[in-house]
Amino acid sequence: MTKTHYFSPGPAALPVPVREQLARELLDTFGMGVSILEISHRSKQYEEVNARAHAVARRLLAIPDTHEVLFTPFGAQQHFCLLLPQLTSPGDTVAYTDTGVWAHIAVAEAQASGRTVEVVFDGQPNYTTLGTPSEWKIPRHAKFLHLTVNNTVYGTEYARIPSGLGVDLVLDMTSSLAARSDIPWAETALIYASAQKNFGIAGCSLVIVRKDVLDASRPLAKANRLGNALSYAAFFDAKSILNTPPCFPIHVAGRTFEWMEAEGGLAEMERRALQKAALVYGEVDRGFYKGRPEKPYRSRHNFVFSLPTAELDALFVAEAAKEGLLEIKGYRTTGGIRCSMYNGVSLESAQTFAHFMDAFRTKYG
């Protein structure tokens, strides 16, 4: 049987040891004949699961004492909306970069919220670059600058997270958290990241918020008439168990963070990501394949490229599937190829894909 190498952009591959551990735990997680799928969220057992997930996230990500950690059931699109009434008031100025599909949606949500939105970099229509931060004209009175750190559809990512810009940062790190170590914590007001890329499965997201920002969010949320059950402060106060949480996704996130820690931590995850990216881009740069983003802005996770013709794109996908290389078709608006490698994708899978690229070029190039 052909081995499967799964390159989905999300939900993404889990590390094999985590999958195996979850399989062993699934019928009886706690040694009492009850699984994580059915345990009460008010039980001592789930409280331990929840506390462990929070603690390992803080350790692995090296989150400083200046910031708090909480899990929510929301995805990134909900955070696009929820962060605005908790960090700003109507009429406030906020700054955004428009660097891809999800960044563009975040901009649209801000524009619809009654805030004054300054788009300091607009990558439309091609989204092949992320601009030059030193050239951005960020209003001095802006409440924050929102950045989408990695753009999954167009395959772009900041080589270094912009910092020193004189403004608080709000970072969408859905496809980059737990795979890079350059977060400028003192300048970072809020981070949100859905789990299903680098550290788990769909159903929960991790929020990291600076303490002063969390404190300020309490009166802002009330003034903006945001329901208590939607506020970050309420989730924090309840230790992420405001109501029945997504117990299994939080458990999976905890187990995945523990695996990362055992494998060498955040530095090792970053090293592996860059190593896998180098294998694929090495093949792109040999010719025949055309990379979509400009080289300085290439993503370390989402490798977006095309072949000389649409027919060859389709053949590449079909031939790859025969070799067990799955989920590499490009996004519907970009076409071409998109191969995604998050933390759960092994170096072996990256090597196999790079070898396939080489063989395909030899045969059809």
Side-chain angles (χ1 to χ4, degrees), residues 81-83 85-86 217 220-232:
C81 308
L82 290 173
L83 67 88
Q86 299 186 75
S217 75
L220 278 170
K222 290 181 180 178
N224 289 318
R225 297 184 179 180
L226 181 69
N228 181 66
L230 298 174
S231 73
Y232 297 139

Side-chain angles (χ1 to χ4, degrees), residues 89-134:
S89 299
D92 283 345
T93 296
V94 292
Y96 279 69
T97 58
D98 185 347
T99 51
V101 169
W102 310 115
H104 185 77
I105 295 173
V107 169
E109 292 290 357
Q111 291 170 333
S113 72
R115 277 67 181 170
T116 300
V117 181
E118 294 290 337
V119 179
V120 298
F121 174 76
D122 189 346
Q124 297 185 82
N126 295 321
Y127 291 123
T128 59
T129 174
L130 299 175
T132 305
S134 62

Side-chain angles (χ1 to χ4, degrees), residues 2 4 11 27 54 68 74 87 105 136 155 193 216 246 265 297 319 323 336:
T2 302
T4 295
L27 293 179
H54 282 72
E68 303 290 8
F74 311 123
L87 273 63
I105 295 173
W136 296 344
Y297 308 101
E319 291 293 311
E323 302 296 325

Side-chain angles (χ1 to χ4, degrees), residues 84-306:
L84 289 156
Q86 299 186 75
L87 273 63
T88 65
S89 299
D92 283 345
T93 296
V94 292
Y96 279 69
T97 58
D98 185 347
T99 51
V101 169
W102 310 115
H104 185 77
I105 295 173
V107 169
E109 292 290 357
Q111 291 170 333
S113 72
R115 277 67 181 170
T116 300
V117 181
E118 294 290 337
V119 179
V120 298
F121 174 76
D122 189 346
Q124 297 185 82
N126 295 321
Y127 291 123
T128 59
T129 174
L130 299 175
T132 305
S134 62
E135 297 177 356
W136 296 344
K137 293 180 171 54
I138 304 168
R140 294 181 61 183
H141 57 288
K143 296 296 183 181
F144 61 75
L145 169 64
H146 182 281
L147 301 173
T148 304
V149 176
N150 181 69
N151 298 276
T152 58
V153 171
Y154 293 96
T156 58
E157 184 176 12
Y158 297 102
R160 297 287 300 176
I161 295 176
S163 61
L165 301 176
V167 64
D168 273 348
L169 301 176
V170 171
L171 304 177
D172 177 355
M173 296 190 71
T174 288
S175 51
S176 53
L177 190 67
R180 57 187 304 157
S181 56
D182 60 334
I183 298 170
W185 288 109
E187 301 166 45
T188 301
L190 180 75
I191 295 170
Y192 58 93
S194 300
Q196 71 272 12
K197 310 284 190 178
N198 271 316
F199 60 92
I201 63 173
C204 74
S205 58
L206 189 68
V207 174
I208 306 169
V209 56
R210 207 170 63 213
K211 288 181 177 179
D212 64 303
V213 175
L214 183 64
D215 289 342
S217 75
R218 295 177 185 273
L220 278 170
K222 290 181 180 178
N224 289 318
R225 297 184 179 180
L226 181 69
N228 181 66
L230 298 174
S231 73
Y232 297 139
F235 277 93
F236 171 73
D237 293 344
K239 299 180 181 178
S240 304
I241 314 178
L242 180 63
N243 57 342
T244 307
C247 299
F248 186 57
I250 291 173
H251 175 64
V252 175
R255 289 299 191 218
T256 308
F257 283 140
E258 288 169 350
W259 171 81
M260 293 181 206
E261 198 171 47
E263 288 291 299
L266 190 60
E268 177 63 13
M269 294 300 107
E270 184 166 24
R271 187 192 70 80
R272 292 181 188 182
L274 294 171
Q275 188 177 8
K276 289 180 284 188
L279 285 167
V280 178
Y281 291 132
E283 293 300 325
V284 170
D285 291 341
R286 289 179 60 195
F288 184 61
Y289 303 103
K290 181 181 180 182
R292 196 178 200 288
E294 295 181 18
K295 287 185 180 181
Y297 308 101
R298 286 171 164 174
S299 170
R300 66 187 69 183
H301 294 301
N302 308 103
F303 314 128
V304 181
F305 58 90
S306 59

